Amino acid sequence: MQRLDQQFIDNQWVRSRGSRLLPVINPYTEEIIAEVTAGDTADVEAAVEAARRALPAWRTMSGAERAGYLDGFAEVLTRRRDELMRLSSTNNGKVLAEAGIDLDDAIACYRYYAGQARALDARQGQQVELDMEGVEARCYHDPAGVVGLITPWNFPLVTSAWKLAPALAAGCTVVLKPSEVTPLPEHALAEIALEVSLPAGVFNLLFGDGEGIGAPLSAHPGVDKVSFTGSNRVGEAVMRAAAGGSRGVSLELGGKSPILVMEDADPEQAADWVMAGIYFNAGQICSATSRLLVHEAVAAPLFAALAERIDALTLGDPLAEGTDMGPLTSSRQREAVRHYLRIAEQEELDVVRDERHRQLPVQGYFLAPILYRDVPLESRLWQEEIFGPVLCGHSISSEQEAIELANDSDFGLAATIISGDATRAKRIGSQLQAGSIWFNSDQLVLPETGWGGFKRSGIGRELGPWGLSSYLEVKHIVGPETPGN
Ligand code: NAD
């Protein structure tokens, strides 16, 4: 059994000062596959010191030079793709094909930010157009400094790529803390850093939980900014910790995203997109479109098509060919979802499909794909993020009602619109409060487009040029015009 009791600090593997070890579990076999240190404040001290020492040289390196390292990350991930897919699948429980999508997403992200790092050189010192004679202003983009990056367990290697790639591109040095539930895939990032000869201290990787690493990292005065992805509860704690010293935060938090199926949609086609939006990754997706707003004219055929597709899903070994859905990532997450299923029972929700409709594999943290229809708007299942394979349907009778109910949420991460009329879909999209809005498609996540939410879904944006900006400080140098400059 693997023992992850070492931290990666200053390009060295050093023994963690933490005395607690946490089990890392394969959610399909329920076996302990590794042990990981819970970490300790002393680990954070050492990692932040290393990152601070590395900052002056790294931040003054050209963007083009930094891009070379990011391309290196992409190349090694590409070469190790198959092995890391299996590892991700084993640690997280996601089916192999989905792990492949994750790897491709991560690789595309490192490549994209290599391009952004190169482009940054040309953006330095650009003249700003002024409405004043004889004055010159030039704009520069400096790195934010040492950044603390904290990620959850649902998309290993992806959520870290969305932070690490732009942070390194910007010239920041990094302390990354992956989730203690899925530490194995991120372990590879330290191996990659060594393989591409990343200068010592630029990337530090700390294993541990919230108490051992997350909280001290968020509160550390040597950390200039914290970028966090995870739950609202912890995101708010991170924000409070970073408030000491008025340090910056970026937060990617929860969601309760709607999917709108209008009366001009083809129910069969719509059903495929609805399924992809909720049962992918066993529903453990921050952007899961877990609120289905369906026009009453197509509700009956849509629910019939969904029931048929749910029945056809194969649940089982995530590594086996032909498996559509794996187990949930932890027994804890399964319990959290079951809590909502008990509420649904108390509320006597109208069940289309639940546990009673399927034989589950005997081992593994499985849950059946669940579908309710006519869920009341005041139900907790309609309002709260469940983070599992649970879809709640509600019928609407007009476009206006669909828009109002879609926006009637504390969250605003994503939305999908399905309509036979693309112009209409875009018109509806322009009125929705969400960072990512898809129409007539699966959830296409592209490195060039932004990621992040309105309202309680977070603060700031990842990906695209906005992802880079969140690790940059803008600086202007202003003075008398210098001829020939
Ligand atoms: P979580 O908030 O429990 O944990 C996230 C990370 O924070 C983990 O690494 C954890 O160890 C760490 N942590 C725990 N306590 C901490 C503390 N006090 N200070 C600092 N760090 C601490 O979330 P989770 O269960 O791992 O992930 C599920 C949540 O993440 C869901 O709410 C989901 O919506 C959200 N999420 C959001 C996005 C997005 O892009 N918006 C993406 C993925 C997941």
Side-chain angles (χ1 to χ4, degrees):
M1 184 175 39
Q2 214 178 341
R3 200 177 157 102
L4 303 181
D5 58 357
Q6 299 201 320
Q7 308 286 27
F8 185 70
I9 300 171
D10 223 5
N11 277 10
Q12 311 275 338
W13 287 108
V14 291
R15 174 65 61 88
S16 168
R17 301 288 285 276
S19 52
R20 289 179 296 135
L21 279 174
L22 309 168
V24 180
I25 294 171
N26 174 333
Y28 173 61
T29 61
E30 301 185 32
E31 283 165 2
I32 298 178
I33 48 173
E35 281 180 322
V36 65
T37 175
D40 184 83
T41 309
D43 299 337
V44 175
E45 285 296 335
V48 173
E49 264 174 40
R52 290 230 77 87
R53 277 196 304 274
L55 185 61
W58 182 249
R59 71 184 298 160
T60 44
M61 202 179 262
S62 71
E65 276 177 276
R66 292 196 297 266
Y69 294 104
L70 291 171
D71 278 334
F73 270 70
E75 273 156 34
V76 181
L77 284 172
T78 305
R79 198 188 67 227
R80 295 181 61 181
R81 184 175 180 276
D82 287 357
E83 162 218 341
L84 291 173
M85 275 167 60
R86 294 184 76 80
L87 187 61
S88 183
S89 186
T90 305
N91 196 170
N92 168 284
K94 62 178 68 210
V95 299
L96 210 48
E98 294 181 8
I101 295 172
D102 288 3
L103 256 296
D104 293 341
D105 186 332
I107 292 163
C109 182
Y110 286 103
R111 289 231 181 273
Y112 173 76
Y113 282 109
Q116 289 285 310
R118 284 189 193 94
L120 191 57
D121 289 337
R123 289 168 61 198
Q124 299 292 10
Q126 275 182 357
Q127 199 153 357
V128 180
E129 229 175 280
L130 300 175
D131 191 15
M132 185 179 275
E133 296 270 307
V135 175
E136 178 189 287
R138 289 186 182 271
C139 181
Y140 297 83
H141 306 271
D142 281 10
V146 171
V147 292
L149 312 179
I150 301 174
T151 58
W153 43 260
N154 57 339
F155 287 99
L157 292 173
V158 177
T159 38
S160 57
W162 291 11
K163 297 183 190 306
L164 182 58
L168 294 182
C172 294
T173 55
V174 167
V175 179
L176 168 68
K177 188 203 99 59
S179 168
E180 64 276 26
V181 180
T182 54
L184 300 183
E186 257 72 21
H187 190 268
L189 293 176
E191 294 154 13
I192 296 174
L194 289 176
E195 187 174 341
V196 304
S197 304
L198 196 69
V202 169
F203 170 68
N204 304 279
L205 176 67
L206 295 184
F207 297 109
D209 60 10
E211 186 190 327
I213 302 293
L217 181 62
S218 314
H220 199 293
V223 173
D224 297 293
K225 175 162 190 174
V226 183
S227 178
F228 170 84
T229 299
S231 63
N232 282 70
R233 183 185 61 79
V234 177
E236 287 170 19
V238 167
M239 208 173 168
R240 278 193 294 276
S246 308
R247 290 163 308 113
V249 285
S250 289
L251 302 176
E252 296 289 341
L253 306 176
K256 189 71 189 177
S257 298
I259 182 162
L260 285 57
V261 181
M262 307 311 295
E263 72 279 18
D264 54 8
D266 167 15
E268 289 293 326
Q269 173 65 81
D272 289 337
W273 289 323
V274 172
M275 294 288 292
I278 185 68
Y279 301 122
F280 189 86
N281 209 26
Q284 303 162 118
I285 334 172
C286 51
S287 57
T289 39
S290 53
R291 289 188 296 142
L292 166 62
L293 287 161
V294 53
H295 195 283
E296 58 196 11
V298 287
L302 181 70
F303 281 110
L306 287 173
E308 205 176 283
R309 281 162 179 73
I310 288 172
D311 292 343
L313 287 179
T314 303
L315 272 61
D317 182 354
L319 292 175
E321 215 168 296
T323 302
D324 298 307
M325 203 172 114
L328 271 70
T329 302
S330 65
S331 63
R332 193 171 159 197
Q333 188 56 27
R334 182 170 66 174
E335 261 324 293
V337 178
R338 280 184 174 157
H339 170 68
Y340 281 99
L341 304 184
R342 288 192 287 272
I343 296 174
E345 234 173 81
Q346 284 156 16
E347 291 182 352
E348 297 179 2
L349 294 191
D350 188 353
V351 178
V352 180
R353 285 291 181 276
D354 73 0
E355 314 253 72
R356 286 163 290 185
H357 296 90
R358 142 178 324 263
Q359 189 83 36
L360 287 174
V362 286
Q363 62 171 24
Y365 306 135
F366 285 94
L367 264 185
I370 289 161
L371 174 62
Y372 300 109
R373 60 180 297 169
D374 302 323
V375 176
L377 302 177
E378 56 278 6
S379 167
R380 283 183 60 190
L381 279 86
W382 183 258
Q383 294 178 355
E384 296 175 18
E385 181 180 53
I386 299 174
F387 222 60
V390 182
L391 177 61
C392 294
H394 186 91
S395 293
I396 42 104
S397 54
S398 71
E399 183 175 315
Q400 200 46 42
E401 189 188 6
I403 294 167
E404 277 170 22
L405 292 187
N407 286 335
D408 182 23
S409 169
D410 289 342
F411 299 102
L413 188 57
T416 299
I417 304 151
I418 303 172
S419 162
D421 176 352
T423 309
R424 180 189 197 193
K426 284 185 256 186
R427 179 178 69 228
I428 296 172
S430 71
Q431 297 171 75
L432 296 184
Q433 298 160 345
S436 295
I437 298 171
W438 296 281
F439 75 93
N440 296 344
S441 60
D442 288 338
Q443 299 201 354
L444 266 175
V445 179
L446 308 161
E448 297 85 356
T449 58
W451 186 265
F454 286 41
K455 302 188 263 186
R456 292 191 64 207
S457 286
I459 297 177
R461 291 290 180 277
E462 296 197 303
L463 298 182
W466 308 276
L468 184 69
S469 296
S470 78
Y471 296 101
L472 291 171
E473 293 285 4
V474 175
K475 177 168 93 180
H476 288 92
I477 300 184
V478 183
E481 204 165 15
T482 318
N485 213 359

